[in-house]
Amino acid sequence: MKLKGRNKVSPDFSMSSMTDIVFLLLIFFMLTANSPNALDLLLPKAKGKSTNTQNVSVSINKKLEYFVNNEKINGKYIEIELKKALKGQEKPTIILRAEESVAIKEAVNVMDIANRNNYKVILAVRPN
C-alpha cells in the first residue's frame, strides 16, 4: 500500500516579491526626496566627476543675484556671508554654481574671495 503523497513541499524562497517591494520603495523615496539644488540654474557643460562634500553653496543666476546656501544676499556682502558660513570648518569648501550666461568676472570674484581666505572652490557643471 502506497501512503506517500504526490505533492512535495518546496523549501525554496522566491526573491521576486521582495525585489518588487524594494523597487517600489526606491521610487517612493526618489519622488519625495528634497532636491539640494532648489535654484533653477542652467549650469555649463563639462566632463568630470561629482563630489558629495559640500560645506557652502554659492549660486549666481543670470540676473546677477547671489545666493549662499539658497538664501539671497547682496553681492557686496558675499565675503562676509562666506566667512560666517565657513567659520570653524576644518576644510572649508565652496560649491560655485554660476549660470551659463553669467560673465566669468562674477565667478572669478567668488574665486578670488576663496583664494584670499584659503577656501577650496569646486565649480558645479552639468554632465556632458
Side-chain angles (χ1 to χ4, degrees), residues 52-98:
N52 288 335
T53 59
Q54 177 177 347
N55 289 341
V56 173
S57 169
V58 175
S59 303
I60 308 169
N61 65 12
K62 60 185 170 188
K63 298 177 188 174
L64 298 181
E65 297 171 326
Y66 286 81
F67 297 86
V68 174
N69 289 336
N70 296 331
E71 288 185 32
K72 187 176 177 182
I73 62 162
N74 190 336
K76 298 176 190 175
Y77 306 115
I78 186 85
E79 186 166 7
I80 296 167
E81 292 294 324
L82 286 174
K83 284 182 180 179
K84 276 196 263 183
L86 292 169
K87 185 177 182 180
Q89 296 288 336
E90 187 177 321
K91 293 181 180 179
T93 305
I94 299 171
I95 304 290
L96 179 57
R97 292 184 173 95

Side-chain angles (χ1 to χ4, degrees), residues 4-18:
K4 193 173 183 182
R6 293 183 190 186
N7 298 334
K8 292 187 178 183
V9 177
S10 175
D12 295 337
F13 178 74
S14 176
M15 287 293 290
S16 62
S17 60
M18 185 67 73

Side-chain angles (χ1 to χ4, degrees), residues 8-54:
K8 292 187 178 183
V9 177
S10 175
D12 295 337
F13 178 74
S14 176
M15 287 293 290
S16 62
S17 60
M18 185 67 73
T19 305
D20 292 343
I21 291 170
V22 170
F23 181 69
L24 289 173
L25 284 173
L26 175 69
I27 291 174
F28 173 75
F29 286 122
M30 285 176 56
L31 292 175
T32 59
N34 291 336
S35 173
N37 300 334
L39 298 174
D40 188 26
L41 298 176
L42 182 63
L43 297 174
K45 289 183 181 179
K47 291 182 182 176
K49 61 181 180 178
S50 62
T51 179
N52 288 335
T53 59
Q54 177 177 347

Side-chain angles (χ1 to χ4, degrees), residues 75 78-80 82-83 94 108-119:
I78 186 85
E79 186 166 7
I80 296 167
L82 286 174
K83 284 182 180 179
I94 299 171
V108 170
N109 182 31
V110 176
M111 290 179 188
D112 186 41
I113 292 169
N115 188 33
R116 283 195 306 260
N117 294 290
N118 295 322
Y119 300 151

